[in-house]
Amino acid sequence: MRKLFKKTQSAWEPEKLPRHIAIVMDGNGRWAKKRSLPRTAGHAAGAETFRRIATYCKNIGIEYLTVYAFSTENWKRPPEEVEKIMQLLEKYIIEALGKMERDKVKMKFLGDVTVLSPKLKELVAEAEELSKTFDGVQVNVCLNYGSRDEIIRAVKSYAAEQIIESNANTESTKKMEETIGSLTEEKFSKYLYTADIPDPDLIIRPSGEHRVSNFLLWQSAYSEYYFTDALWPDFNEKELDKAIIAYQSRERRYGAI
Ligand code: FPP
């Protein structure tokens, strides 16, 4: 009898890897609940998954990895949960500082970090400063990040810069209109947290949720989305492979035909 083989693609093509992968690290709470553990245990497991996936991205040659660690809305969570996430971030940065030189990992934090604890702010600044010239994978951690907030901030800093440059006292309405009229998508992108970072090619959301949740609204205009039911702490290298294979099967047309 002829054997029937299911046709599956088992590997992605190295020459068609996404340059930039972004991930909403979702499902930590449900992962913990399933095990009768506190939600904070889910975040601790999620932080380990992040470490593992960042290493894998570095090893396979992904240039940028962006993760959603804490949103501008996450402050609404119970204080002990917020505290635990901040502690995990501190722990992660301290460990990363020790090995980023060896691994040449460049770290960036996207979001309003001014409101973080003095210790975390210091660690964030140190990690960015120490790694700013490294050319391995660039890991962007979205921390106190909200995409609408990012866009409003960008509009404000653009306007503030124009006013400073043009000496507000002598500026005519006509000149101001010209300045505003000359704003382009490319120029505007430079005022976002992601200035100088290419838009994500692939955005992954685990845990069965199919929402954008205020993540990279501007930058995701032409990103490919991949959803999986796996909860973030269960996400692993195989899951990322599947996401990359799905990405490689898509035809990216950027609005053309
Ligand atoms: C969303 O899952 C997850 C978060 C809001 C926190 C993510 C934080 C970490 C993984 C730890 C720190 C990060 C780093 C980079 C070291 P959820 O809690 O909403 O899960 P649920 O939907 O199942 O409740």
Side-chain angles (χ1 to χ4, degrees):
M1 199 175 85
R2 233 177 94 226
K3 260 192 188 161
L4 284 177
F5 288 100
K6 206 169 139 212
K7 194 170 176 284
T8 53
Q9 192 186 357
S10 58
W12 36 259
E13 299 169 53
E15 65 283 357
K16 275 172 59 189
L17 275 176
R19 275 187 85 191
H20 183 174
I21 297 180
I23 306 180
V24 180
M25 302 188 290
D26 198 10
N28 297 345
R30 277 163 286 163
W31 181 92
K33 196 169 174 207
K34 267 171 62 182
R35 288 162 179 76
S36 309
L37 294 168
R39 291 179 55 82
T40 49
H43 296 312
E48 284 312 313
T49 301
F50 161 69
R51 222 184 289 267
R52 202 168 149 172
I53 292 300
T55 304
Y56 188 55
C57 284
K58 172 175 81 71
N59 292 343
I60 65 175
I62 300 295
E63 290 176 61
Y64 299 87
L65 170 68
T66 300
V67 291
Y68 207 179
F70 194 84
S71 77
T72 42
E73 287 72 37
N74 286 153
W75 298 105
K76 293 179 207 152
R77 295 186 176 214
E80 57 281 6
E81 184 171 336
V82 171
E83 181 55 29
K84 176 68 184 181
I85 295 173
M86 297 301 160
Q87 277 172 10
L88 286 165
L89 283 157
E90 277 184 15
K91 184 167 169 265
Y92 173 77
I93 302 172
I94 291 168
E95 285 166 13
L97 282 170
K99 45 185 190 170
M100 65 186 13
E101 178 129 32
R102 183 197 70 193
D103 295 342
K104 297 284 174 270
V105 171
K106 180 168 174 176
M107 280 204 81
K108 286 269 294 171
F109 292 84
L110 314 181
D112 177 17
V113 294
T114 61
V115 298
L116 303 176
S117 73
K119 185 171 178 206
L120 192 48
K121 258 195 294 201
E122 213 175 281
L123 286 168
V124 161
E126 199 183 337
E128 286 193 337
E129 180 57 29
L130 184 75
S131 69
K132 69 178 180 208
T133 58
F134 295 162
D135 57 1
V137 62
Q138 174 167 334
V139 175
N140 307 307
V141 178
C142 293
L143 180 48
N144 193 22
Y145 173 90
S147 199
R148 288 184 172 181
D149 177 64
E150 176 187 32
I151 292 168
I152 293 295
R153 278 167 192 273
V155 171
K156 286 181 181 165
S157 30
Y158 175 73
E161 208 173 278
Q162 303 315 310
I163 291 167
I164 292 164
E165 269 175 22
S166 66
N167 182 356
N169 295 331
T170 56
E171 185 72 340
S172 68
T173 310
K174 176 109 183 51
K175 184 89 198 306
M176 197 48 109
E177 272 170 12
E178 273 170 28
T179 308
I180 293 166
S182 74
L183 183 62
T184 61
E185 291 182 11
E186 203 185 348
K187 253 197 216 173
F188 182 70
S189 303
K190 300 283 173 217
Y191 292 84
L192 297 169
Y193 292 127
T194 48
D196 302 326
I197 300 172
D199 288 344
D201 301 294
L202 169 63
I203 299 183
I204 301 171
R205 181 155 194 165
S207 90
E209 303 293 353
H210 297 180
R211 281 190 295 276
V212 178
S213 299
N214 207 8
F215 186 47
L216 305 173
L217 299 179
W218 173 277
Q219 300 85 343
S220 61
Y222 288 102
S223 303
E224 295 294 331
Y225 277 89
Y226 177 83
F227 299 101
T228 167
D229 287 340
L231 301 172
W232 176 245
D234 292 328
F235 195 89
N236 54 23
E237 294 84 347
K238 270 214 167 92
E239 292 288 340
L240 189 65
D241 286 344
K242 280 198 248 169
I244 295 174
I245 290 165
Y247 164 81
Q248 292 185 335
S249 73
R250 313 252 179 105
E251 192 193 346
R252 300 185 77 190
R253 297 206 304 248
Y254 301 94
I257 49 167

